[in-house]
Amino acid sequence: MAEQIFFFIFAVLAVGSAIAVVSFKNPVYSVLSLMVCFLQMAALFVMLRSPFLAVVQVFVYVGAVLVLFLFVIMMLDIRKARMDQFITGGNFWAIGLLGILIIEMILIISKSRLTSITVSSELRLDGGVREIGEALFTKYILPFEIVSFILLVALMGAIVLGRKELR
Amino acid sequence: MGQEEIRGLLPVLELYLSNPLVIMMLEILLIFIKVVVVTLVVFSLPLPLTYMERKVAGHIQVRLGPMRVGPHGILQPLADMIKLFFKEDIIPSKADPWLFRIAPVISMVPVFAVFATIPFGDKITIPFINYEVSMYISDMNVGILYVLAIAGLSVYGIILGGWASNSKYALLGGLRSSAQMISYELALSFACIGVVMIVNSLSLVDIVKAQSGWHWNIFYQPVGFVIFFIAGLAEINRIPFDLPEDEGTLGAGYHSEYSSMRFAFFMLTEYVAMVSMSILAVLLFFGGWNGPSFLPGIIWFVIKVVLCIYFFMWTRFTFPRYRYDQLMSIGWKVLLPLSLLNILITGLIII
Protein backbone atom coordinates (compact mmCIF):
# COMPACT_ATOMS: atom_id res chain seq x y z
CA MET A 1 0.00 0.00 0.00
CA ALA A 2 2.65 2.48 1.06
CA GLU A 3 4.65 1.38 -1.94
CA GLN A 4 1.82 2.26 -4.30
CA ILE A 5 1.49 5.73 -2.81
CA PHE A 6 5.20 6.29 -3.35
CA PHE A 7 4.94 4.90 -6.87
CA PHE A 8 2.26 7.44 -7.73
CA ILE A 9 4.25 10.30 -6.22
CA PHE A 10 7.32 9.39 -8.28
CA ALA A 11 5.34 8.65 -11.45
CA VAL A 12 3.38 11.89 -11.35
CA LEU A 13 6.50 13.91 -10.63
CA ALA A 14 8.38 12.16 -13.44
CA VAL A 15 5.66 12.86 -16.00
CA GLY A 16 5.15 16.40 -14.72
CA SER A 17 8.83 17.26 -14.91
CA ALA A 18 9.07 15.66 -18.36
CA ILE A 19 6.30 17.97 -19.55
CA ALA A 20 8.11 20.87 -17.89
CA VAL A 21 11.27 20.02 -19.90
CA VAL A 22 9.55 20.77 -23.18
CA SER A 23 7.40 23.66 -22.01
CA PHE A 24 9.95 25.90 -20.27
CA LYS A 25 11.23 28.70 -22.47
CA ASN A 26 14.54 28.99 -20.67
CA PRO A 27 16.81 26.02 -21.56
CA VAL A 28 18.50 26.09 -18.14
CA TYR A 29 15.13 25.47 -16.50
CA SER A 30 14.52 22.66 -18.99
CA VAL A 31 17.75 20.97 -17.96
CA LEU A 32 16.79 21.32 -14.29
CA SER A 33 13.41 19.70 -14.97
CA LEU A 34 15.19 16.90 -16.82
CA MET A 35 17.32 16.42 -13.69
CA VAL A 36 14.18 16.10 -11.56
CA CYS A 37 12.76 13.63 -14.09
CA PHE A 38 15.89 11.47 -14.00
CA LEU A 39 15.90 11.49 -10.19
CA GLN A 40 12.31 10.24 -10.18
CA MET A 41 13.30 7.49 -12.59
CA ALA A 42 16.10 6.50 -10.23
CA ALA A 43 13.53 6.29 -7.45
CA LEU A 44 11.38 4.04 -9.65
CA PHE A 45 14.40 1.78 -10.20
CA VAL A 46 14.74 1.49 -6.42
CA MET A 47 11.08 0.46 -6.22
CA LEU A 48 11.77 -2.21 -8.85
CA ARG A 49 14.34 -3.66 -6.41
CA SER A 50 17.30 -2.58 -8.48
CA PRO A 51 19.26 -0.05 -6.41
CA PHE A 52 22.33 -0.58 -8.57
CA LEU A 53 20.56 0.68 -11.69
CA ALA A 54 19.14 3.57 -9.70
CA VAL A 55 22.57 4.68 -8.53
CA VAL A 56 24.03 4.26 -12.01
CA GLN A 57 21.19 6.38 -13.35
CA VAL A 58 22.07 9.17 -10.93
CA PHE A 59 25.80 8.73 -11.50
CA VAL A 60 25.79 8.76 -15.30
CA TYR A 61 22.78 10.83 -16.30
CA VAL A 62 22.34 13.31 -13.48
CA GLY A 63 25.97 13.52 -12.39
CA ALA A 64 27.70 13.66 -15.76
CA VAL A 65 25.50 13.95 -18.85
CA LEU A 66 23.25 16.71 -17.54
CA VAL A 67 26.20 18.67 -16.16
CA LEU A 68 27.61 18.67 -19.69
CA PHE A 69 24.22 19.83 -20.99
CA LEU A 70 24.31 22.73 -18.55
CA PHE A 71 27.90 23.42 -19.51
CA VAL A 72 26.93 23.84 -23.17
CA ILE A 73 23.72 25.76 -22.48
CA MET A 74 25.51 28.28 -20.30
CA MET A 75 27.73 29.11 -23.27
CA LEU A 76 24.67 29.90 -25.41
CA ASP A 77 23.17 33.31 -25.70
CA ILE A 78 20.05 32.65 -23.66
CA ARG A 79 18.03 35.52 -25.09
CA LYS A 80 18.50 34.11 -28.59
CA ALA A 81 17.98 30.51 -27.53
CA ARG A 82 14.67 31.43 -25.90
CA MET A 83 13.22 32.08 -29.35
CA ASP A 84 13.49 28.46 -30.43
CA GLN A 85 10.94 26.70 -28.31
CA PHE A 86 10.41 23.00 -28.52
CA ILE A 87 6.69 23.28 -29.17
CA THR A 88 5.91 26.09 -31.56
CA GLY A 89 2.36 27.23 -32.11
CA GLY A 90 0.49 26.03 -35.18
CA ASN A 91 2.66 23.01 -35.83
CA PHE A 92 -0.04 20.60 -37.00
CA TRP A 93 2.38 17.85 -37.90
CA ALA A 94 3.60 17.66 -34.31
CA ILE A 95 0.06 17.53 -32.94
CA GLY A 96 -0.90 14.79 -35.43
CA LEU A 97 2.15 12.77 -34.49
CA LEU A 98 1.32 13.25 -30.81
CA GLY A 99 -2.17 11.87 -31.44
CA ILE A 100 -0.78 8.80 -33.19
CA LEU A 101 1.65 8.26 -30.32
CA ILE A 102 -1.10 8.53 -27.72
CA ILE A 103 -3.28 5.98 -29.58
CA GLU A 104 -0.26 3.69 -29.92
CA MET A 105 0.53 3.92 -26.22
CA ILE A 106 -3.07 3.18 -25.24
CA LEU A 107 -3.11 0.14 -27.55
CA ILE A 108 0.19 -1.19 -26.21
CA ILE A 109 -0.79 -0.70 -22.57
CA SER A 110 -4.22 -2.28 -23.01
CA LYS A 111 -2.77 -5.32 -24.84
CA SER A 112 0.11 -5.92 -22.46
CA ARG A 113 0.00 -7.96 -19.31
CA LEU A 114 1.97 -5.34 -17.39
CA THR A 115 -1.02 -3.39 -16.11
CA SER A 116 -0.57 -4.33 -12.47
CA ILE A 117 1.77 -2.05 -10.57
CA THR A 118 2.52 -4.47 -7.77
CA VAL A 119 6.10 -5.65 -7.88
CA SER A 120 7.62 -8.81 -6.55
CA SER A 121 8.60 -8.44 -2.93
CA GLU A 122 11.71 -10.53 -3.44
CA LEU A 123 14.53 -8.47 -1.94
CA ARG A 124 17.87 -8.58 -3.71
CA LEU A 125 20.39 -8.24 -0.96
CA ASP A 126 23.41 -7.61 -3.17
CA GLY A 127 21.60 -5.02 -5.27
CA GLY A 128 21.78 -7.22 -8.33
CA VAL A 129 25.31 -6.05 -9.06
CA ARG A 130 26.63 -9.57 -9.49
CA GLU A 131 23.79 -10.66 -11.77
CA ILE A 132 24.09 -7.59 -13.97
CA GLY A 133 27.85 -8.03 -14.26
CA GLU A 134 27.56 -11.72 -15.10
CA ALA A 135 24.82 -11.14 -17.66
CA LEU A 136 26.75 -8.34 -19.32
CA PHE A 137 30.02 -10.24 -19.63
CA THR A 138 28.71 -13.69 -20.55
CA LYS A 139 25.29 -13.75 -22.18
CA TYR A 140 25.24 -10.28 -23.65
CA ILE A 141 28.94 -9.85 -24.34
CA LEU A 142 28.47 -9.21 -28.09
CA PRO A 143 25.86 -6.42 -27.77
CA PHE A 144 27.91 -4.96 -24.93
CA GLU A 145 31.05 -4.82 -27.07
CA ILE A 146 29.13 -3.42 -30.05
CA VAL A 147 27.66 -0.65 -27.90
CA SER A 148 31.05 0.25 -26.50
CA PHE A 149 32.47 0.29 -30.05
CA ILE A 150 29.69 2.64 -31.19
CA LEU A 151 30.39 4.90 -28.21
CA LEU A 152 34.09 4.94 -29.11
CA VAL A 153 33.31 5.91 -32.71
CA ALA A 154 30.98 8.68 -31.47
CA LEU A 155 33.76 9.91 -29.20
CA MET A 156 36.22 10.02 -32.09
CA GLY A 157 33.65 11.85 -34.19
CA ALA A 158 33.19 14.46 -31.45
CA ILE A 159 36.94 14.98 -31.21
CA VAL A 160 37.29 15.36 -34.99
CA LEU A 161 34.39 17.83 -35.10
CA GLY A 162 35.62 19.79 -32.11
CA ARG A 163 39.23 20.06 -33.26
CA LYS A 164 40.43 23.28 -34.79
CA GLU A 165 41.24 23.17 -38.49
CA LEU A 166 44.85 22.16 -39.12
CA ARG A 167 46.62 24.30 -41.62
CA MET B 1 10.54 6.30 41.19
CA GLY B 2 12.62 3.79 43.07
CA GLN B 3 14.89 1.11 41.73
CA GLU B 4 12.31 -1.58 42.53
CA GLU B 5 9.57 0.09 40.53
CA ILE B 6 11.78 0.36 37.44
CA ARG B 7 12.60 -3.34 37.74
CA GLY B 8 8.88 -4.06 37.94
CA LEU B 9 8.19 -2.10 34.79
CA LEU B 10 10.76 -3.97 32.69
CA PRO B 11 8.64 -7.09 31.91
CA VAL B 12 5.78 -4.86 30.75
CA LEU B 13 8.19 -2.99 28.51
CA GLU B 14 9.53 -6.22 27.06
CA LEU B 15 5.98 -7.38 26.33
CA TYR B 16 5.37 -4.17 24.42
CA LEU B 17 8.61 -4.54 22.50
CA SER B 18 7.63 -7.99 21.21
CA ASN B 19 4.53 -6.59 19.47
CA PRO B 20 5.36 -6.28 15.71
CA LEU B 21 3.41 -3.05 15.27
CA VAL B 22 5.24 -1.43 18.18
CA ILE B 23 8.53 -2.64 16.74
CA MET B 24 7.73 -1.10 13.38
CA MET B 25 6.72 2.22 14.94
CA LEU B 26 9.86 2.17 17.07
CA GLU B 27 12.02 1.57 14.04
CA ILE B 28 10.45 4.43 12.12
CA LEU B 29 10.88 6.67 15.17
CA LEU B 30 14.48 5.54 15.50
CA ILE B 31 15.26 6.38 11.86
CA PHE B 32 13.64 9.76 12.37
CA ILE B 33 15.72 10.44 15.49
CA LYS B 34 18.90 9.37 13.72
CA VAL B 35 18.21 11.63 10.76
CA VAL B 36 17.55 14.60 13.03
CA VAL B 37 20.65 13.97 15.16
CA VAL B 38 22.96 13.49 12.17
CA THR B 39 21.58 16.57 10.43
CA LEU B 40 21.96 18.74 13.52
CA VAL B 41 25.51 17.55 14.16
CA VAL B 42 26.54 18.02 10.54
CA PHE B 43 24.84 21.41 10.41
CA SER B 44 26.80 22.68 13.39
CA LEU B 45 30.13 21.18 12.33
CA PRO B 46 31.29 24.19 10.29
CA LEU B 47 31.45 26.27 13.49
CA PRO B 48 34.35 24.34 15.09
CA LEU B 49 35.85 23.69 11.65
CA THR B 50 36.15 27.36 10.68
CA TYR B 51 37.82 28.00 14.03
CA MET B 52 40.16 25.06 13.50
CA GLU B 53 40.96 26.15 9.97
CA ARG B 54 41.81 29.70 11.02
CA LYS B 55 43.92 28.51 13.94
CA VAL B 56 45.78 26.00 11.73
CA ALA B 57 46.30 28.74 9.13
CA GLY B 58 47.55 31.10 11.80
CA HIS B 59 50.06 28.74 13.31
CA ILE B 60 51.35 27.54 9.93
CA GLN B 61 51.93 31.17 8.95
CA VAL B 62 53.61 31.92 12.32
CA ARG B 63 50.85 34.11 13.72
CA LEU B 64 48.17 33.49 16.33
CA GLY B 65 44.93 33.40 14.33
CA PRO B 66 41.71 34.62 15.97
CA MET B 67 42.44 35.74 19.56
CA ARG B 68 39.98 38.53 20.43
CA VAL B 69 36.53 36.97 20.87
CA GLY B 70 36.54 34.74 23.92
CA PRO B 71 39.60 32.93 25.29
CA HIS B 72 41.94 32.16 22.36
CA GLY B 73 39.23 33.41 20.01
CA ILE B 74 37.05 30.40 20.64
CA LEU B 75 33.84 32.39 20.15
CA GLN B 76 34.98 33.74 16.78
CA PRO B 77 32.79 31.35 14.72
CA LEU B 78 29.71 32.48 16.66
CA ALA B 79 30.57 36.11 15.99
CA ASP B 80 31.03 35.31 12.30
CA MET B 81 27.70 33.55 12.22
CA ILE B 82 25.87 36.46 13.82
CA LYS B 83 27.54 38.83 11.38
CA LEU B 84 26.43 36.71 8.40
CA PHE B 85 22.89 36.52 9.76
CA PHE B 86 22.46 40.26 9.99
CA LYS B 87 24.01 41.19 6.67
CA GLU B 88 21.75 42.34 3.88
CA ASP B 89 20.82 39.63 1.38
CA ILE B 90 21.58 41.26 -1.96
CA ILE B 91 20.23 39.83 -5.20
CA PRO B 92 21.81 41.48 -8.25
CA SER B 93 19.22 43.17 -10.47
CA LYS B 94 20.31 41.30 -13.60
CA ALA B 95 20.45 37.92 -11.90
CA ASP B 96 17.93 35.17 -12.51
CA PRO B 97 16.12 35.65 -9.19
CA TRP B 98 14.63 32.21 -8.81
CA LEU B 99 17.76 30.21 -9.61
CA PHE B 100 19.91 32.65 -7.67
CA ARG B 101 17.86 31.96 -4.56
CA ILE B 102 17.68 28.20 -4.96
CA ALA B 103 21.29 27.49 -6.03
CA PRO B 104 22.80 27.48 -2.49
CA VAL B 105 20.09 25.05 -1.39
CA ILE B 106 20.70 22.78 -4.40
CA SER B 107 24.37 22.63 -3.50
CA MET B 108 23.61 21.97 0.17
CA VAL B 109 21.08 19.12 -0.16
CA PRO B 110 23.40 16.48 -1.73
CA VAL B 111 26.18 16.90 0.81
CA PHE B 112 23.66 16.22 3.58
CA ALA B 113 22.00 13.36 1.69
CA VAL B 114 25.37 11.59 1.56
CA PHE B 115 25.20 11.06 5.32
CA ALA B 116 22.23 8.69 4.92
CA THR B 117 24.53 5.74 4.22
CA ILE B 118 27.63 6.67 6.18
CA PRO B 119 28.21 4.26 9.07
CA PHE B 120 29.70 5.85 12.21
CA GLY B 121 30.08 2.60 14.08
CA ASP B 122 28.82 -0.94 14.39
CA LYS B 123 25.59 -2.01 16.11
CA ILE B 124 25.33 -1.18 19.79
CA THR B 125 22.89 -2.68 22.28
CA ILE B 126 20.98 -0.45 24.65
CA PRO B 127 21.23 -1.91 28.19
CA PHE B 128 18.10 -3.15 30.12
CA ILE B 129 15.79 -3.61 27.10
CA ASN B 130 18.27 -5.44 24.83
CA TYR B 131 17.39 -3.31 21.86
CA GLU B 132 19.93 -3.24 19.05
CA VAL B 133 20.64 0.13 17.49
CA SER B 134 22.82 0.50 14.42
CA MET B 135 25.08 3.51 14.14
CA TYR B 136 24.03 4.26 10.58
CA ILE B 137 20.79 5.44 9.03
CA SER B 138 20.75 2.76 6.35
CA ASP B 139 23.17 0.09 5.21
CA MET B 140 22.65 0.29 1.49
CA ASN B 141 24.10 -2.58 -0.50
CA VAL B 142 25.37 -0.09 -3.07
CA GLY B 143 26.51 2.35 -0.37
CA ILE B 144 29.76 3.56 -1.86
CA LEU B 145 28.22 4.10 -5.30
CA TYR B 146 25.40 6.06 -3.67
CA VAL B 147 27.84 8.30 -1.81
CA LEU B 148 29.88 9.01 -4.94
CA ALA B 149 26.81 9.61 -7.11
CA ILE B 150 25.07 11.94 -4.66
CA ALA B 151 28.24 13.83 -3.76
CA GLY B 152 28.69 14.53 -7.46
CA LEU B 153 25.35 16.33 -7.56
CA SER B 154 26.52 19.27 -5.46
CA VAL B 155 28.23 20.62 -8.58
CA TYR B 156 24.78 21.75 -9.74
CA GLY B 157 24.59 24.37 -7.03
CA ILE B 158 27.96 25.77 -8.04
CA ILE B 159 27.16 25.86 -11.76
CA LEU B 160 23.69 27.33 -11.26
CA GLY B 161 24.92 29.83 -8.70
CA GLY B 162 27.61 30.94 -11.14
CA TRP B 163 25.22 31.17 -14.05
CA ALA B 164 22.33 32.82 -12.21
CA SER B 165 24.55 35.60 -10.84
CA ASN B 166 24.89 36.96 -14.39
CA SER B 167 28.46 38.03 -13.74
CA LYS B 168 31.44 36.95 -15.82
CA TYR B 169 33.59 35.99 -12.84
CA ALA B 170 30.86 33.85 -11.34
CA LEU B 171 30.09 32.22 -14.69
CA LEU B 172 33.75 31.38 -15.30
CA GLY B 173 33.97 29.95 -11.79
CA GLY B 174 30.92 27.79 -12.44
CA LEU B 175 32.28 26.55 -15.77
CA ARG B 176 35.66 25.74 -14.29
CA SER B 177 34.15 23.85 -11.41
CA SER B 178 31.86 21.75 -13.61
CA ALA B 179 34.74 20.73 -15.88
CA GLN B 180 36.99 20.06 -12.90
CA MET B 181 34.51 18.02 -10.92
CA ILE B 182 33.55 15.79 -13.85
CA SER B 183 37.20 15.12 -14.66
CA TYR B 184 38.23 14.29 -11.12
CA GLU B 185 35.10 12.30 -10.32
CA LEU B 186 36.37 9.62 -12.71
CA ALA B 187 39.71 9.25 -10.95
CA LEU B 188 38.00 9.33 -7.55
CA SER B 189 35.59 6.55 -8.46
CA PHE B 190 38.31 4.45 -10.07
CA ALA B 191 40.40 4.76 -6.91
CA CYS B 192 37.46 3.38 -4.93
CA ILE B 193 37.10 0.42 -7.30
CA GLY B 194 40.42 -1.01 -6.05
CA VAL B 195 39.03 -1.11 -2.51
CA VAL B 196 35.75 -2.63 -3.72
CA MET B 197 37.69 -5.36 -5.56
CA ILE B 198 39.61 -6.30 -2.42
CA VAL B 199 36.58 -6.26 -0.13
CA ASN B 200 34.21 -7.79 -2.69
CA SER B 201 31.29 -5.65 -1.56
CA LEU B 202 29.86 -2.21 -2.29
CA SER B 203 28.38 -1.75 1.18
CA LEU B 204 30.29 0.69 3.37
CA VAL B 205 29.59 -1.39 6.49
CA ASP B 206 31.08 -4.49 4.84
CA ILE B 207 34.08 -2.48 3.64
CA VAL B 208 34.83 -1.38 7.20
CA LYS B 209 34.21 -4.85 8.64
CA ALA B 210 36.67 -6.36 6.16
CA GLN B 211 39.39 -4.09 7.53
CA SER B 212 39.21 -5.24 11.16
CA GLY B 213 42.43 -6.30 12.86
CA TRP B 214 44.78 -3.80 11.18
CA HIS B 215 43.97 -5.07 7.68
CA TRP B 216 43.54 -1.47 6.66
CA ASN B 217 43.14 -0.94 2.95
CA ILE B 218 45.84 1.72 2.87
CA PHE B 219 48.42 -1.05 3.26
CA TYR B 220 46.98 -2.89 0.25
CA GLN B 221 46.02 0.11 -1.85
CA PRO B 222 48.62 2.85 -1.28
CA VAL B 223 48.44 4.08 -4.89
CA GLY B 224 44.65 4.02 -4.72
CA PHE B 225 44.75 6.16 -1.58
CA VAL B 226 47.07 8.76 -3.12
CA ILE B 227 44.81 9.04 -6.18
CA PHE B 228 41.73 9.17 -3.95
CA PHE B 229 43.21 11.92 -1.82
CA ILE B 230 44.33 14.12 -4.73
CA ALA B 231 41.05 13.66 -6.60
CA GLY B 232 39.17 14.29 -3.35
CA LEU B 233 40.99 17.61 -2.90
CA ALA B 234 39.87 18.60 -6.39
CA GLU B 235 36.33 17.37 -5.79
CA ILE B 236 35.84 19.58 -2.73
CA ASN B 237 37.48 22.56 -4.45
CA ARG B 238 40.34 23.12 -2.05
CA ILE B 239 43.83 24.38 -2.67
CA PRO B 240 45.79 23.36 -4.78
CA PHE B 241 42.69 22.78 -6.92
CA ASP B 242 40.44 25.66 -5.90
CA LEU B 243 40.35 27.19 -9.37
CA PRO B 244 36.55 27.82 -9.24
CA GLU B 245 37.15 30.46 -6.59
CA ASP B 246 40.60 31.58 -7.59
CA GLU B 247 40.75 35.08 -6.10
CA GLY B 248 43.74 36.05 -8.22
CA THR B 249 41.82 35.80 -11.48
CA LEU B 250 38.12 35.43 -10.67
CA GLY B 251 37.30 37.61 -7.68
CA ALA B 252 35.61 34.99 -5.53
CA GLY B 253 34.49 32.71 -8.36
CA TYR B 254 31.01 31.27 -8.35
CA HIS B 255 29.94 32.97 -5.11
CA SER B 256 31.17 36.45 -6.05
CA GLU B 257 27.66 37.90 -6.06
CA TYR B 258 26.41 36.12 -2.97
CA SER B 259 26.13 37.70 0.45
CA SER B 260 24.66 37.02 3.87
CA MET B 261 23.10 33.61 4.55
CA ARG B 262 23.21 32.43 0.95
CA PHE B 263 26.96 32.86 1.01
CA ALA B 264 27.01 31.06 4.36
CA PHE B 265 25.17 28.13 2.74
CA PHE B 266 27.92 27.83 0.14
CA MET B 267 30.57 27.89 2.87
CA LEU B 268 28.61 25.31 4.87
CA THR B 269 28.46 23.09 1.78
CA GLU B 270 32.21 23.30 1.34
CA TYR B 271 32.94 22.38 4.94
CA VAL B 272 30.44 19.53 5.01
CA ALA B 273 31.86 18.24 1.73
CA MET B 274 35.31 18.27 3.32
CA VAL B 275 33.96 16.33 6.32
CA SER B 276 32.27 13.73 4.11
CA MET B 277 35.40 13.34 1.99
CA SER B 278 37.47 12.76 5.15
CA ILE B 279 34.90 10.29 6.44
CA LEU B 280 34.98 8.45 3.12
CA ALA B 281 38.79 8.30 3.25
CA VAL B 282 38.64 6.89 6.79
CA LEU B 283 35.98 4.34 5.89
CA LEU B 284 37.68 3.16 2.71
CA PHE B 285 41.33 3.23 3.65
CA PHE B 286 41.81 3.64 7.42
CA GLY B 287 39.56 0.95 8.81
CA GLY B 288 36.61 3.11 9.88
CA TRP B 289 35.83 2.53 13.56
CA ASN B 290 38.38 -0.28 13.98
CA GLY B 291 41.14 0.40 16.49
CA PRO B 292 42.71 -0.85 19.72
CA SER B 293 39.91 -1.76 22.09
CA PHE B 294 40.75 0.59 24.98
CA LEU B 295 38.60 3.26 23.33
CA PRO B 296 35.11 2.75 21.85
CA GLY B 297 34.85 2.56 18.07
CA ILE B 298 33.11 5.89 17.61
CA ILE B 299 36.00 7.70 19.35
CA TRP B 300 38.53 6.08 17.01
CA PHE B 301 36.34 7.07 14.11
CA VAL B 302 36.20 10.72 15.19
CA ILE B 303 39.95 10.83 15.86
CA LYS B 304 40.74 9.50 12.39
CA VAL B 305 38.31 11.88 10.71
CA VAL B 306 39.72 14.88 12.57
CA LEU B 307 43.27 13.90 11.59
CA CYS B 308 42.14 13.61 7.99
CA ILE B 309 40.48 17.04 8.10
CA TYR B 310 43.65 18.47 9.64
CA PHE B 311 45.59 17.01 6.73
CA PHE B 312 43.25 18.73 4.25
CA MET B 313 43.81 22.05 6.06
CA TRP B 314 47.54 21.48 6.18
CA THR B 315 47.70 21.05 2.39
CA ARG B 316 45.68 24.21 1.95
CA PHE B 317 48.31 26.39 3.59
CA THR B 318 51.29 24.55 2.15
CA PHE B 319 50.76 24.30 -1.59
CA PRO B 320 50.38 26.99 -4.24
CA ARG B 321 47.51 26.82 -6.69
CA TYR B 322 47.82 25.06 -10.05
CA ARG B 323 47.17 26.73 -13.37
CA TYR B 324 43.95 25.60 -15.02
CA ASP B 325 45.52 23.69 -17.92
CA GLN B 326 47.88 21.99 -15.47
CA LEU B 327 44.87 20.95 -13.39
CA MET B 328 43.20 19.34 -16.40
CA SER B 329 46.35 17.56 -17.56
CA ILE B 330 46.96 16.19 -14.06
CA GLY B 331 43.44 14.83 -13.95
CA TRP B 332 43.29 13.25 -17.39
CA LYS B 333 46.90 12.39 -18.16
CA VAL B 334 48.26 11.35 -14.76
CA LEU B 335 45.53 10.38 -12.30
CA LEU B 336 43.20 8.58 -14.71
CA PRO B 337 45.83 6.27 -16.30
CA LEU B 338 47.34 5.65 -12.85
CA SER B 339 43.98 4.65 -11.41
CA LEU B 340 43.26 2.35 -14.37
CA LEU B 341 46.68 0.75 -13.91
CA ASN B 342 45.91 0.37 -10.20
CA ILE B 343 42.67 -1.47 -11.01
CA LEU B 344 44.49 -3.70 -13.49
CA ILE B 345 47.26 -4.64 -11.05
CA THR B 346 44.77 -5.21 -8.22
CA GLY B 347 42.78 -7.48 -10.50
CA LEU B 348 45.85 -9.46 -11.53
CA ILE B 349 46.93 -9.94 -7.90
CA ILE B 350 43.44 -11.04 -6.80
CA ILE B 351 43.20 -13.59 -9.62
Side-chain angles (χ1 to χ4, degrees), chain B residues 34-56:
Chain B
K34 279 187 210 165
V35 170
V36 170
V37 168
V38 168
T39 312
L40 282 181
V41 168
V42 173
F43 215 88
S44 56
L45 266 180
L47 289 181
L49 284 179
T50 45
Y51 178 73
M52 180 175 162
E53 175 134 45
R54 294 175 72 171
K55 274 292 180 194
V56 170

Side-chain angles (χ1 to χ4, degrees), chain B residues 211-246:
Chain B
Q211 301 179 58
S212 58
W214 295 102
H215 289 295
W216 292 3
N217 281 331
I218 184 153
F219 303 130
Y220 303 100
Q221 287 280 324
V223 182
F225 173 70
V226 172
I227 295 167
F228 179 88
F229 188 80
I230 296 173
L233 271 178
E235 230 6 54
I236 56 177
N237 291 330
R238 287 184 74 84
I239 284 180
F241 303 110
D242 70 335
L243 272 299
E245 41 190 300
D246 176 0

Side-chain angles (χ1 to χ4, degrees), chain B residues 307-325:
Chain B
L307 282 177
C308 222
I309 290 172
Y310 175 75
F311 201 75
F312 275 124
M313 290 177 177
W314 187 8
T315 52
R316 171 167 176 184
F317 296 101
T318 313
F319 291 110
R321 183 180 288 133
Y322 281 109
R323 223 169 52 216
Y324 197 68
D325 57 327

Side-chain angles (χ1 to χ4, degrees), chain B residues 254-325:
Chain B
Y254 63 89
H255 55 63
S256 296
E257 304 293 336
Y258 279 90
S259 56
S260 182
M261 281 315 282
R262 291 183 211 286
F263 169 76
F265 282 164
F266 274 126
M267 282 289 109
L268 183 84
T269 307
E270 268 183 30
Y271 277 103
V272 175
M274 181 171 71
V275 172
S276 57
M277 197 53 77
S278 313
I279 288 181
L280 209 56
V282 167
L283 289 176
L284 291 177
F285 294 100
F286 293 99
W289 56 83
N290 293 310
S293 58
F294 58 87
L295 280 176
I298 184 82
I299 306 277
W300 280 117
F301 185 74
V302 171
I303 290 175
K304 287 175 191 171
V305 171
V306 170
L307 282 177
C308 222
I309 290 172
Y310 175 75
F311 201 75
F312 275 124
M313 290 177 177
W314 187 8
T315 52
R316 171 167 176 184
F317 296 101
T318 313
F319 291 110
R321 183 180 288 133
Y322 281 109
R323 223 169 52 216
Y324 197 68
D325 57 327

